[in-house]
Amino acid sequence: MKKVITIMLVVIMLLGMILPAITMAAEPDKDLNRINQEKKAVQDKISEKQEQKQQVKKELKQLNQQLQQAQNELENTEKKLKTTNENLEQTKKEFEKAQQKMEAQNDILNERIRAMYKNNSTLGYLEVLLNATSFSDFISRFDTIKTVVNYDFDLLTSLQEQRDLLEDKKEEIQAEQQRITVLKKQLQDKAQEVETLKVSKQDYSNKLDSDLAAYETRAAQLEKDSQQVTKMIQEAQRKQQQTQTKQQEAQTKQQQTQTEQQQQMKKDSKDNATKDNATKDNANRGSMGGRLLWPVPGYTRISSPYGWRNHPIFGRTSFHTGIDIPAPTGTSAIAAGSGTVMYAGYMGGYGNTVIIDLGNGISTLQAHNSSLLVSVGQKVSRGQVVARVGSTGNSTGPHSHFEVRVGGNHTNPLPYVR
């Protein structure tokens, strides 16, 4: 009866230890999932805004070219208009001079006619001829009169033709002046339209810059997801160790209460010591280089090693916390060692991720998978297929991102798998 009561008390104590630990472990996973989902949304927004920014840059460049072309055309048109105005003014002056010459010639002709009538109302070219003293004088007078009349006629005709030509030229220049004025107004309207559109695009570009700055600030904060993973692993392993310690203590106490013989107690103590030594030996072997399996069988090339590198997506220098192993989508990704699945789900920039606790503070992380074949809490064996290679999260192509973490902190995985 005492043994039954003792066993029930031990079971109750164990449940009291395990259930809170399970509840507490679930909370970080829930928070981490929320953070990773938010990080993915922010990263998608950054990509979207960057694409929009590039498009606006192209449009602004085109608008600047259009505006420059419109300004050049407007400048050339203004030069043409200036030249046309100058030609018009010159033509007006020439027209006025021709008009003045014709009026002066008319005045001379009229003055001559008035003089003839003033001296004698019957005096004219005929009387000049009749007053000739001889035939040769008559011929001379006739030639003189003919020359004067022809001169007056030719001069008046030439002046009239010049005036008509200038009038036509004046009308042509005025028409050209009007055409250029209309063209200038159209170019001014076009330049104003392009300038207005440019200002609108620039305002939109400024807004995109502001949005990008806000998203990048948020992304920088969310980029601590790796640190969150580290804390989660450390906390989970710490609680697991505490639970195991309490379970071992409870089991030891139960064994002590179930036996009264000193020899059996010594034997149990010896067995426990042997078990502890075996556990330590396994831990030592598990932490030695080459003791883990290569995570992607058949694909040994490393496209990006562990350490500092220029990020292929964000273009800035950052620390690569694992190794990248290129492989076709759907290729099998295996457990590098036996252990328990601590996390299986989508994790921000890591994409579809599986984290396996191998015990003794060592865990592995495999990311960017196209699909996951295990779930949280599942026991997996060394070499078991746990995921399929893909390109989810922040990835430029199908590959497996593989990490080894000791105490939750990332370390170079190569010594563990080679």
Side-chain angles (χ1 to χ4, degrees):
M1 185 64 181
K2 289 183 180 181
K3 290 184 179 181
V4 173
I5 295 174
T6 301
I7 293 173
M8 290 179 63
L9 288 174
V10 170
V11 171
I12 293 172
M13 289 174 61
L14 290 175
L15 288 176
M17 296 174 189
I18 294 172
L19 290 178
I22 294 174
T23 304
M24 291 175 65
E27 292 301 323
D29 288 343
K30 188 182 298 183
D31 292 340
L32 187 60
N33 285 332
R34 176 182 58 78
I35 291 172
N36 288 330
Q37 290 173 1
E38 184 179 356
K39 182 181 178 184
K40 183 177 183 301
V42 170
Q43 289 169 340
D44 290 343
K45 281 292 184 182
I46 289 176
S47 299
E48 177 186 344
K49 295 297 180 182
Q50 286 174 338
E51 290 177 1
Q52 293 176 359
K53 178 68 176 177
Q54 292 300 321
Q55 182 62 31
V56 170
K57 281 184 177 180
K58 291 180 181 178
E59 293 176 359
L60 278 174
K61 183 178 179 180
Q62 293 175 352
L63 288 174
N64 284 328
Q65 293 173 348
Q66 293 177 13
L67 183 59
Q68 185 62 45
Q69 181 180 357
Q71 289 173 343
N72 291 339
E73 292 177 358
L74 183 59
E75 184 178 347
N76 292 333
T77 301
E78 288 177 343
K79 290 180 180 178
K80 290 180 181 179
L81 183 59
K82 180 180 179 182
T83 302
T84 301
N85 289 335
E86 291 174 352
N87 292 338
L88 181 60
E89 289 300 320
Q90 182 63 28
T91 301
K92 285 181 179 179
K93 291 178 181 179
E94 293 174 2
F95 181 80
E96 290 175 357
K97 288 181 180 179
Q99 185 71 24
Q100 291 173 359
K101 285 182 180 181
M102 192 172 70
E103 291 175 354
Q105 190 62 31
N106 281 329
D107 291 341
I108 293 173
L109 182 59
N110 291 333
E111 185 64 28
R112 188 185 304 127
I113 294 172
R114 281 195 299 272
M116 286 190 298
Y117 280 101
K118 183 177 180 181
N119 292 330
N120 189 336
S121 59
T122 59
L123 182 63
Y125 292 127
L126 179 60
E127 186 173 355
V128 171
L129 293 173
L130 293 176
N131 287 335
T133 58
S134 64
F135 181 74
S136 61
D137 185 32
F138 177 83
I139 294 302
S140 178
R141 288 172 180 255
F142 181 78
D143 290 338
T144 300
I145 291 172
K146 182 180 178 182
T147 299
V148 172
V149 171
N150 288 338
Y151 174 78
D152 289 339
F153 179 77
D154 291 342
L155 181 60
L156 288 173
T157 301
S158 175
L159 290 172
Q160 182 63 42
E161 289 176 354
Q162 184 178 3
R163 191 185 72 169
D164 291 343
L165 288 174
L166 290 172
E167 183 67 30
D168 292 341
K169 185 177 181 181
K170 177 182 175 182
E171 290 178 357
E172 290 177 2
I173 294 176
Q174 286 177 335
E176 179 68 9
Q177 182 188 40
Q178 183 177 3
R179 186 187 71 81
I180 294 177
T181 301
V182 172
L183 179 60
K184 178 182 177 181
K185 180 66 170 57
Q186 291 174 347
L187 289 173
Q188 287 175 334
D189 292 343
K190 180 180 178 181
Q192 182 61 40
E193 179 183 350
V194 174
E195 181 65 29
T196 301
L197 187 57
K198 177 184 174 182
V199 170
S200 175
K201 290 293 182 182
Q202 189 61 55
D203 290 342
Y204 183 56
S205 177
N206 293 338
K207 184 178 183 301
L208 285 177
D209 287 338
S210 177
D211 292 345
L212 272 174
Y215 284 126
E216 286 174 353
T217 299
R218 183 60 180 156
Q221 181 179 353
L222 292 173
E223 190 142 347
K224 297 177 180 178
D225 60 346
S226 179
Q227 299 177 3
Q228 295 292 336
V229 171
T230 300
K231 291 180 180 178
M232 179 189 69
I233 294 174
Q234 290 175 336
E235 182 64 18
Q237 290 178 341
R238 184 185 64 82
K239 291 180 179 179
Q240 183 181 23
Q241 186 62 38
Q242 288 179 344
T243 302
Q244 290 176 348
T245 301
K246 290 180 179 180
Q247 288 176 345
Q248 290 175 354
E249 291 175 351
Q251 289 174 355
T252 301
K253 184 176 181 180
Q254 180 184 11
Q255 290 172 354
Q256 289 175 347
T257 58
Q258 286 178 344
T259 181
E260 297 178 354
Q261 298 180 358
Q262 188 64 29
Q263 184 179 1
Q264 185 64 39
M265 290 176 61
K266 289 181 180 181
K267 181 180 178 182
D268 291 341
S269 177
K270 183 178 180 181
D271 291 342
N272 287 335
T274 302
K275 184 178 179 181
D276 289 342
N277 290 333
T279 301
K280 291 179 181 179
D281 291 341
N282 291 334
N284 291 333
R285 287 195 298 270
S287 62
M288 291 173 60
R291 293 302 182 183
L292 299 181
L293 291 179
W294 186 257
V296 187
Y299 297 90
T300 57
R301 186 173 72 87
I302 298 175
S303 60
S304 184
Y306 177 84
W308 290 100
R309 67 169 182 175
N310 188 37
H311 199 285
I313 295 179
F314 299 110
R316 59 176 180 268
T317 301
S318 61
F319 196 90
H320 191 218
T321 56
I323 58 174
D324 290 345
I325 306 169
T329 299
T331 300
S332 296
I334 66 172
S338 300
T340 304
V341 178
M342 294 181 61
Y343 182 88
Y346 198 93
M347 184 181 290
Y350 285 118
N352 290 328
T353 303
V354 57
I355 301 176
I356 301 174
D357 181 10
L358 306 182
N360 301 299
I362 299 176
S363 60
T364 60
L365 180 149
Q366 291 159 278
H368 305 306
N369 300 289
S370 60
S371 62
L372 303 177
L373 307 181
V374 293
S375 57
V376 175
Q378 181 178 341
K379 301 291 184 180
V380 296
S381 302
R382 175 185 171 93
Q384 178 180 339
V385 179
V386 294
R388 301 293 182 188
V389 173
S391 185
T392 56
N394 292 339
S395 172
T396 58
H399 72 282
S400 177
H401 173 85
F402 179 72
E403 295 184 11
V404 171
R405 293 178 175 253
V406 179
N409 298 310
H410 59 76
T411 186
N412 188 354
L414 284 181
Y416 290 82
V417 294
R418 284 185 174 177

